[in-house]
Amino acid sequence: MYSLNVPIPGQVARIATDLRPRLTGFDRVRDRHTLVLKRLGDLDHATFPPIEKAVRQALVGTPAVEAAVAGIDAFREPATGPAPVVYLAVESPGLLDMHHRLGQVVDPIEGLEGPDYVPHITLARGGEPGVLDRIVETPVEGVSWTVTALEFWDAGRGERAGRISLPG
């Protein structure tokens, strides 16, 4: 699976790391924190280049955008995988706009993208509902940052497959 991700600044990664002890009781706790802007699909080395080119063309001239951690929230009934999913909620009209434009280049995944897209950084999933209620009420530092680049991610290889700079 390839995706286009928003790099997470150190301050946001620290928030996620600091919350880790409070995530006991969840079945799966994330070690690697990402903000997926757009899933690009199950691609290989032959099919990735044309998709990468189309994404780059769709984002030509796109300026840097602001993003902010807005708190902790959850998908109580996620479209896929074990429930619940607890995450850092991210507010960013600019990321929503880019996601919408990219959905015109690469088909949105139903239930996850398009109008259902919620910018977020997954912390954990699965587990008891009581654990979810406790963590969602945890206050977090409101961190804002400027998104100046996006990264293509190859999940199969666990590595960055490219980068797009957004002019500041």
Side-chain angles (χ1 to χ4, degrees), residues 30 36 46 67 90 125-126 136 142 144 159:
R30 287 275 175 95
V36 175
V90 175
R125 69 181 313 149
V136 168
S144 298
E159 65 185 20

Side-chain angles (χ1 to χ4, degrees), residues 8 12 16 33-35 69 86-90 119-123 145:
I8 304 301
V12 175
H33 299 99
T34 60
L35 196 171
V69 171
V86 64
Y87 60 85
L88 292 175
V90 175
H120 69 281
I121 301 163
T122 299
L123 300 171
W145 77 98

Side-chain angles (χ1 to χ4, degrees), residues 15-161:
I15 292 171
T17 299
D18 291 347
L19 288 169
R20 190 172 178 82
R22 305 198 83 186
L23 299 172
T24 57
F26 285 91
D27 296 337
R28 290 189 273 176
V29 178
R30 287 275 175 95
D31 290 322
R32 185 177 169 278
H33 299 99
T34 60
L35 196 171
V36 175
L37 178 60
K38 178 73 183 87
R39 288 159 187 84
L40 303 176
D42 291 323
L43 307 172
D44 58 31
H45 293 296
T47 56
F48 173 64
I51 297 294
E52 178 186 22
K53 182 178 179 182
V55 166
R56 286 180 182 282
Q57 287 176 341
L59 295 176
V60 166
T62 300
V65 299
E66 296 302 311
V69 171
I72 300 174
D73 207 343
F75 300 120
R76 294 179 186 274
E77 296 179 22
T80 63
V85 174
V86 64
Y87 60 85
L88 292 175
V90 175
E91 291 180 350
S92 176
L95 291 178
L96 289 170
D97 177 63
M98 279 190 270
H99 176 80
H100 173 74
R101 284 189 290 146
L102 292 171
Q104 296 172 11
V105 174
V106 178
D107 290 337
I109 297 173
E110 190 172 333
L112 292 175
E113 297 185 327
D116 297 316
Y117 174 71
V118 175
H120 69 281
I121 301 163
T122 299
L123 300 171
R125 69 181 313 149
E128 301 296 320
V131 175
L132 174 66
D133 294 336
R134 184 180 71 235
I135 191 72
V136 168
E137 295 173 6
T138 304
V140 295
E141 178 185 356
V143 174
S144 298
W145 77 98
T146 302
V147 177
T148 59
L150 303 171
E151 297 178 343
F152 291 97
W153 182 256
D154 178 347
R157 292 181 165 206
E159 65 185 20
R160 189 171 80 175

